[in-house]
Amino acid sequence: MNKMFQEEKNRTKEKIRGLEKRFVRISWGRVMVFITAIVCLSFGLSRGNALLLAAAALCLVGFLVLVSIHGHVSLDLQDEKTRENVIDSYMKRMNNEWKDFPDDGEDLMGKNDHASFDLDIAGRASLYQLLHICHTEEGRRKFYAALQPPAELPENVEERRAAIRELSGKFSFLCALESVTTRITAKMKKKRSFLMEETEDGEKEEEKQKKQTGFPAWMQLARFIIPAVMTVLTVFTVMGVTSPGILIIFFLVFLVVTLTPGDSILSMMLPVFRFGQSAKDLIGLLELIAKEDFQSSILSDMKEKISRKGGILSAAAQMRRIGQAQSLSYNTIIHLILNGFLAWDFHVGYAAYKWNEKNGALYLECMDVIASFEELGSFAVLPIVRKTCVPRKGGGKLVGEGIYHPLLAQDTVVANDVSFGADVTIITGSNMSGKTTLMRTLALNLCLMYAGAEVCAESFSAGFYRLFTSMRIRDDVTGGISTFYAEILRIKEMADYVGQGKEIPALCMIDEIFKGTNSADRIAGAKEAIRTLSSGNCMTIVTTHDFELCDMKTAAGKDAENYHFEEYYEGDNIRFDYKIREGRCTTRNARALLTMAGLFHE
C-alpha cells in the first residue's frame, strides 16, 4: 500500500514541478508584455503613430489574458500542493505517525461521552484522529456522532456499508475531496468574523436577513429609473442639449440614493458572503462529485441532489455569478461610477434577494452533502490503511478471527481469535498482558460495524448490542464524586437498562471492576453487580485480577466462562504474547514488575 501512496505522491510532485515552471514563465511573460504595452503607448502618443497605439492596446489585452491564466495556474498549483499534503497524511497513517494530526476531535466530546473516553474514540491517539478527513464543522460532527455506540442500529446500515466500500476504492476521489474541503474551510474562516460581526445595535447580520420580508418597491423602481435617466442625460450632454453640470448633479443625487440603504443591501448579500472566496473551490468540489460515477444508493442520491437540473450545482454557479458582480464594488472608483449611472448595488441586491428566495436552503443543503461525503469518506480511510473485512450479522455471539486493535501499528499488533457468547465472561491475566486492549478491540470494531464500516479482522460476526463500557473512570471533584462512586453510577446505568427488559440486548464491558475499593468489598460487590446484569438480556465481559470471580455463577445458576492472558520470562525480562486463552489465569506478575522497578526486594 505504501508503494501506491508513493507512486501517487511522485505523480503529484511531477505536476507541481511542471506548474511551478509554467507559473514562472507566465510571470515573466506578463511583465514583458506590460513593459511592451507601456513602451508602445509612450511612443505611439509622442509620435502620433496609430499602429503603435493599436499594438499597445493588443498588449494590454494580452496582459489581462496572462493575468487570468496566471491566476488559474496559481490555483492549480495550490491544489496539487494540498493534494501532496493529503497523500502524506495517508502515508503517516500507514507508518504510525498519525498521532500528531492537529484535529483529534476532543472539542466534540461531551462530559458524559463515556465511550469516547473509554475506547479512544476521540482525543489524542484516537480513532477519530486516525481516520477523519473532515474539514467542515458539520462533517466533523457527523463523523464523531457516527463513531459513537448507537442506541439502535441504523436502518440504512447496509446501504452505508456499500457506500463506504465504494469510496474506499476511490482513493484519488478521496484525495481530491479532502484537498478542496481543506481550502474551502480555510477561506470560509476568513469570512466568519464578518458573518458574526454585530451591528451597533447588537443585531447580527444573519438575524437581519431573516427579517428581510421583501425587496423594497422603491429600490425596484429606482433600479430601472436611474439607468434610464442617466442614459438620456448622457446622450443629451454629448449632443450639447444639456450642460455637463446637470449630468454631474443627477449623478451625485443618484449616488446618495444608491449608497444610503447599504445595510439593507448587505443583508440581501449575506448568502454571497457565506460562500465568500471559496465559491470557486466549492463549485469545483460539486463538479467533482457530479462527474464521479457512483453505484451505491446513498452516493448516487447525493450526486443527484447536486447535479440534477435546478439542483445545488446550478444554484451555486448562479451564486458565483452574483458574487462576481458584487466583487466590482471592491474597486471604489468603479463602484461609484456603476452606482451613479446604473444603480449597480440595487441590481446585485435584487439578484441576491431572488436567489435567496428560491435557494435559501442551498448553503445548508450544500454543506450537508459535503459533510456526508466527508463522514463516509473518513470510514473509507480504514480499508485503505488497515487490513479489514466486511463484518457479518451474527446471532448471540461475538465471533472474530484475526481481530485486532485499529489504533496499533500494523507491524507490531497482535491479532486474536475470539468467540464470546456466555452471559458472563471473566478475563484474567497479568498486568499489561492485553486484557484491556482486547476489550477495546472488540468495542471499537463493534462501533465500526454498527456505523456501516469494515472492521479490523480476518472475519467478524456479531448481533446488535446496546454497548455499555466502564473502563477509564474519572472522578468529579466539583460534583463530589469519587472514582469508585463514578464507577458505581456507570454500572448502575447498565443495570437500569437491563432491568427495563429491553428487546435489544446489552453488552457490558467492565475493566478491572471496582478496583477503587478494598479487596473484600470489591469481590462481594463485583459478584452482586455481575449477577444483577446476568439476570436480564445482557452479555457481560469483565476483566479482573480477582481470581475469586472466576468461580461465580450467573443469576440463572450458570458458570461464568473464563479466559486469560499469560506472560513469560527471558532472563530478568518479562514478556507477553498478548494471546487470549481459555480458562483462568494461574500466574501473577505484580511482584516481578515491582522488583524490576527496584521497589521490591526479595
Side-chain angles (χ1 to χ4, degrees), residues 161-231:
R161 202 178 317 282
I164 291 168
R165 288 197 70 192
E166 184 174 3
L167 285 175
S168 68
K170 294 179 178 289
F171 177 67
S172 292
F173 174 81
L174 290 178
C175 285
L177 173 74
E178 188 175 2
S179 297
V180 182
T181 54
T182 300
R183 294 199 305 276
I184 288 174
T185 52
K187 290 176 181 177
M188 282 186 172
K189 284 177 182 177
K190 294 180 181 179
K191 288 287 181 181
R192 186 174 298 167
S193 59
F194 171 81
L195 292 175
M196 300 306 294
E197 189 176 286
E198 296 183 355
T199 57
E200 291 181 1
D201 60 357
E203 184 180 48
K204 292 183 179 179
E205 293 292 346
E206 292 189 43
E207 294 301 319
K208 288 177 64 180
Q209 188 197 14
K210 290 177 183 178
K211 293 181 180 180
Q212 190 74 39
T213 56
F215 192 80
W218 72 269
M219 286 189 192
Q220 181 73 290
L221 190 63
R223 75 189 189 92
F224 292 105
I225 291 177
I226 290 175
V229 170
M230 292 304 292
T231 299

Side-chain angles (χ1 to χ4, degrees), residues 83-120:
R83 182 183 177 86
E84 183 181 19
N85 292 333
V86 170
I87 296 171
D88 280 337
S89 69
Y90 279 89
M91 297 177 75
K92 287 179 179 179
R93 291 182 178 103
M94 290 292 292
N95 299 329
N96 204 37
E97 298 172 358
W98 53 272
K99 295 175 186 176
D100 292 328
F101 288 175
D103 184 9
D104 59 15
E106 186 173 4
D107 60 305
L108 300 170
M109 293 172 63
K111 183 179 179 180
N112 295 319
D113 291 351
H114 302 311
S116 289
F117 190 67
D118 283 352
L119 305 178
D120 298 309

Side-chain angles (χ1 to χ4, degrees), residues 535-549:
S535 64
N537 191 11
C538 177
M539 183 193 301
T540 305
I541 302 175
V542 177
T543 68
T544 183
H545 289 289
D546 296 317
F547 294 164
E548 292 87 347
L549 297 183

Side-chain angles (χ1 to χ4, degrees), residues 15 29 63 85 99 101 105 153 210 291 337 418 469 480 529 567:
K15 289 181 182 178
F63 173 77
N85 292 333
K99 295 175 186 176
F101 288 175
L153 186 66
K210 290 177 183 178
K291 291 176 183 176
I337 293 172
V418 297
T469 63
E567 80 282 355

Side-chain angles (χ1 to χ4, degrees), residues 543-596:
T543 68
T544 183
H545 289 289
D546 296 317
F547 294 164
E548 292 87 347
L549 297 183
C550 296
D551 297 321
M552 73 166 295
K553 295 184 180 297
T554 67
K558 299 178 183 178
D559 291 331
E561 282 195 357
N562 280 275
Y563 291 88
H564 72 281
F565 287 85
E566 294 180 354
E567 80 282 355
Y568 62 95
Y569 295 86
E570 291 181 353
D572 294 331
N573 296 316
I574 189 169
R575 298 281 187 256
F576 305 97
D577 63 9
Y578 305 111
K579 286 290 187 179
I580 192 169
R581 296 172 172 82
E582 293 185 359
R584 64 185 69 188
C585 181
T586 58
T587 62
R588 305 172 186 264
N589 70 355
R591 180 174 295 188
L593 291 172
L594 288 167
T595 302
M596 289 166 57

Side-chain angles (χ1 to χ4, degrees), residues 414-476:
V414 175
N416 269 293
D417 296 339
V418 297
S419 180
F420 295 151
D423 292 341
V424 175
T425 299
I426 306 295
I427 303 176
T428 48
S430 305
N431 296 288
M432 304 189 304
S433 59
K435 303 185 301 298
T436 305
T437 299
L438 178 70
M439 294 257 279
R440 292 195 177 114
T441 297
L442 291 171
L444 279 176
N445 278 293
L446 282 171
C447 289
L448 289 167
M449 177 182 179
Y450 299 155
E454 296 191 13
V455 298
C456 294
E458 293 176 12
S459 67
F460 186 69
S461 66
F464 180 71
Y465 298 92
R466 179 72 168 86
L467 182 61
F468 294 90
T469 63
S470 176
M471 297 183 186
R472 289 189 180 116
I473 307 300
R474 295 173 288 185
D475 60 5
D476 182 356

